Amino acid sequence: MFRRSFPMILAFVCAILPAGNARAQAPAAQPDLARLAEEAQGWLADLIRINTTNPPGNELAAAKYVAGILQKEGIPNEVLEVAPGRGVVVGRLQAGPLPDAANALLLDAHLDVVGVDASKWTVDPFAAVVRDGFLYGRGSVDDKGMLAANLATIVALKRSAARLGRDIIFLATADEEQGGAASIKLVIEKYWDKIACAYAINEGGRVLLKDGKVQYIGIQASEKVPYNVTVTATGASGHASLPRPDNPVVHLAAAIAKLGAYQVPTQPNTITRRFFEQLAKIEDDETGKWMRALEQPERSDQAAKHLSEQSPVWNSMLRDTIAPTMLRAGVRQNVVPSEATANLNIRLLPGHSIDELISQFGKIVNDPQIRFQLAPDSGENAPPSDLDSALYKSIERVSAQEFPGAIALPLLGTGATDSAQLRLHKVQAYGLVPFPLTEADDLRWHGDDERIPLDSFRKGVAFLYHIVNDFASAK
């Protein structure tokens, strides 16, 4: 029986082996990125229309919408309800038969957005209005634009049957803007096995557009640490017709005026020095001269002062910053309150001490009626990501291909992102919002009339896909 069957079995094996090898070696189809960018624009518009203002967030509806797209494309995914009405989405394209966290790449973006004062907008903040080549809406850049680009990237890899050399994990988080109980901290604590990775791309970097041309690609490799400090003034309450010198409102106003005017001395760190060193190569002669002067001990302080006055971004990269953001006082117009409070939002350079700064506040204000209390929602000091990693090199390489003449350079993020939590778990995380944006459009983050140029959105979708494809495809 075996002898009669053996030739047939051998012929069958010989017939299927070449076909199997041919399939394994066939190059992946090239995705239609122009078509995909149009689809992604529709996804972004739909996501803007799902109001996920935080608080309260209500990200679950947006999470289910995203999961529906992944499901339709055949990408394994799940929605994790991390709190009532609040959800995150995890999707995965696996390179091998088993998950491989040691090489995996995480694409991270958040579903929630900050609040709006609709009266200050020229359009409905949640209608996804397209006007003059821009898509307007809260979250159009921060961070639903990034979310749509991440979604487009993993869909492109799936549709093209890309041969992956590492797992791609898609993550849409909740509660990023508040950093509260439903944020990535919880996802890491409870579901790390679902998102464990070695590398990550997240918001935080930038593609700076100047005079119609990309000037540089800023790759966020570290970020400042956020703190909030409550300033409280106390005194005797009473009738407003009998003003007293210990009026808490007056004392608080004087304290905030002093703190608002105070500038912490500049202290450029390694990443910031490298940022300016590389940016000097493409800046005008005068600005480049001051950037290079940061490395000259006798001129460093003067150079830092000059650069910080040129740009609010550069200023924040060079020093700890203090921004009064909220004031509270009074119960009636004719009553002097016994207490008045303010909030200071502080962003420290990594490694700096908040306790030392608060001690300095006491000396600056010099008022026994004023006290300072650190709020419990403090950030955490995380180590910087490696500037020589394989992912950083991929971003550099693809940047040169996508934007000839522009330079890629490391960036110290001035805002807080999910990347800090990932870095604390030994993930090489890099911030890169892939859309070419002007300084003016960058400053609309968290502001009125947030918008994204549609041409920049399309370019950003292609840019991000090419980075991920370069880094994750089997070589």
Side-chain angles (χ1 to χ4, degrees):
M1 178 69 180
F2 176 78
R3 287 184 178 180
R4 286 197 300 272
S5 302
F6 181 77
M8 297 175 64
I9 295 170
L10 183 62
F12 177 75
V13 170
C14 290
I16 65 170
L17 275 178
N21 287 341
R23 280 195 296 272
Q25 294 171 3
Q30 291 300 308
D32 185 344
L33 293 180
R35 176 190 161 202
L36 192 60
E38 287 185 15
E39 290 181 74
Q41 181 182 325
W43 301 336
L44 173 56
D46 287 345
L47 285 165
I48 289 171
R49 294 183 186 110
I50 302 172
N51 187 340
T52 54
T53 299
N54 188 7
N58 292 329
E59 299 95 341
L60 188 57
K64 289 179 177 178
Y65 172 83
V66 170
I69 295 168
L70 294 171
Q71 193 69 30
K72 180 183 175 183
E73 297 293 335
I75 298 170
N77 70 91
E78 58 185 317
V79 174
L80 307 172
E81 190 166 0
V82 292
R86 313 198 76 169
V88 305
V89 189
V90 181
R92 181 186 290 265
L93 290 181
Q94 221 162 266
L98 296 172
D100 180 13
N103 292 297
L105 170 65
L106 179 74
L107 301 179
D108 180 27
H110 59 88
L111 294 158
D112 61 321
V113 298
V114 295
V116 301
D117 180 351
S119 68
K120 301 290 179 62
W121 284 59
T122 60
V123 298
D124 182 340
F126 300 103
V129 173
V130 174
R131 188 175 71 188
D132 300 327
F134 294 88
L135 174 60
Y136 285 78
R138 177 56 89 221
S140 55
V141 181
D142 182 19
D143 189 31
K144 291 178 177 179
M146 184 84 187
L147 180 64
N150 286 350
L151 194 53
T153 295
I154 198 168
V155 167
L157 293 170
K158 174 65 175 178
R159 288 181 182 176
S160 63
R163 294 175 58 240
L164 297 175
R166 63 181 79 242
D167 293 359
I168 304 295
I169 306 168
F170 173 93
L171 177 63
T173 64
D175 204 15
E176 191 274 345
E177 296 293 359
Q178 292 284 101
S183 71
I184 195 171
K185 295 178 186 177
L186 176 69
V187 179
I188 289 172
E189 288 170 8
K190 291 187 65 175
Y191 304 108
W192 178 244
D193 60 311
K194 298 179 185 295
I195 66 164
C197 58
Y199 302 92
I201 295 176
N202 183 30
E203 64 173 339
R206 67 192 309 205
V207 179
L208 183 66
L209 190 66
K210 189 175 182 179
D211 300 325
K213 185 178 179 181
V214 171
Q215 184 185 34
Y216 71 78
I217 298 88
I219 308 164
Q220 192 247 54
S222 183
E223 61 187 57
K224 297 180 78 174
V225 186
Y227 297 91
N228 285 290
V229 172
T230 302
V231 186
T232 302
T234 55
S237 63
H239 201 287
S241 65
L242 301 172
R244 295 164 53 100
D246 65 347
N247 186 326
V249 175
V250 175
H251 282 259
L252 180 68
I256 295 303
K258 290 177 182 177
L259 295 171
Y262 175 66
Q263 285 203 320
V264 181
T266 56
Q267 289 183 273
N269 62 17
T270 301
I271 287 178
T272 300
R273 288 182 183 279
R274 183 161 164 181
F275 168 84
F276 284 116
E277 175 190 335
Q278 292 184 238
L279 191 57
K281 299 173 185 176
I282 59 171
E283 277 287 352
D284 61 79
D285 291 342
E286 178 68 12
T287 303
K289 175 189 73 175
W290 288 111
M291 289 178 174
R292 286 186 290 271
L294 277 175
E295 297 303 315
Q296 302 167 16
E298 69 280 4
R299 303 182 66 200
S300 179
D301 289 346
Q302 186 180 2
K305 180 177 183 298
H306 183 89
L307 294 170
S308 65
E309 290 172 350
Q310 269 195 261
S311 162
V313 175
W314 294 352
N315 175 65
S316 187
M317 291 172 66
L318 286 164
R319 56 162 50 94
D320 300 330
T321 56
I322 306 154
T325 56
M326 300 179 77
L327 297 168
R328 298 185 189 89
V331 291
R332 288 180 61 87
Q333 292 177 328
N334 62 349
V335 175
V336 175
S338 61
E339 184 175 283
T341 64
N343 185 77
L344 302 176
N345 187 261
I346 296 165
R347 306 292 169 131
L348 294 191
L349 296 170
H352 285 198
S353 167
I354 186 64
D355 292 333
E356 290 180 11
L357 186 60
I358 292 175
S359 176
Q360 186 69 17
F361 288 169
K363 297 173 185 176
I364 294 166
V365 171
N366 191 26
D367 184 342
Q369 286 184 232
I370 299 289
R371 69 176 188 271
F372 303 94
Q373 179 67 47
L374 180 64
D377 59 346
S378 301
E380 296 183 77
N381 271 291
S385 295
D386 187 357
L387 302 186
D388 292 310
S389 76
L391 179 53
Y392 190 91
K393 295 299 182 186
S394 272
I395 298 172
E396 284 186 319
R397 182 165 52 250
V398 175
S399 295
Q401 296 165 359
E402 295 287 310
F403 306 111
I407 60 172
L409 38 74
L411 195 67
L412 171 70
T414 58
T417 73
D418 286 343
S419 293
Q421 293 298 321
L422 292 168
R423 291 183 183 118
L424 288 170
H425 284 75
K426 301 181 180 179
V427 176
Q428 296 298 320
Y430 301 94
L432 182 63
V433 174
F435 317 114
L437 297 173
T438 64
E439 192 82 54
D441 279 327
D442 250 356
L443 293 174
R444 289 175 185 253
W445 287 45
H446 289 206
D448 302 327
D449 278 350
E450 182 182 350
R451 67 185 189 180
I452 188 166
L454 293 177
D455 183 58
S456 292
F457 178 73
R458 290 188 287 268
K459 288 177 180 176
V461 167
F463 182 33
L464 183 62
Y465 165 77
H466 287 137
I467 289 170
V468 175
N469 187 55
D470 179 89
F471 179 64
S473 292
K475 302 298 189 284

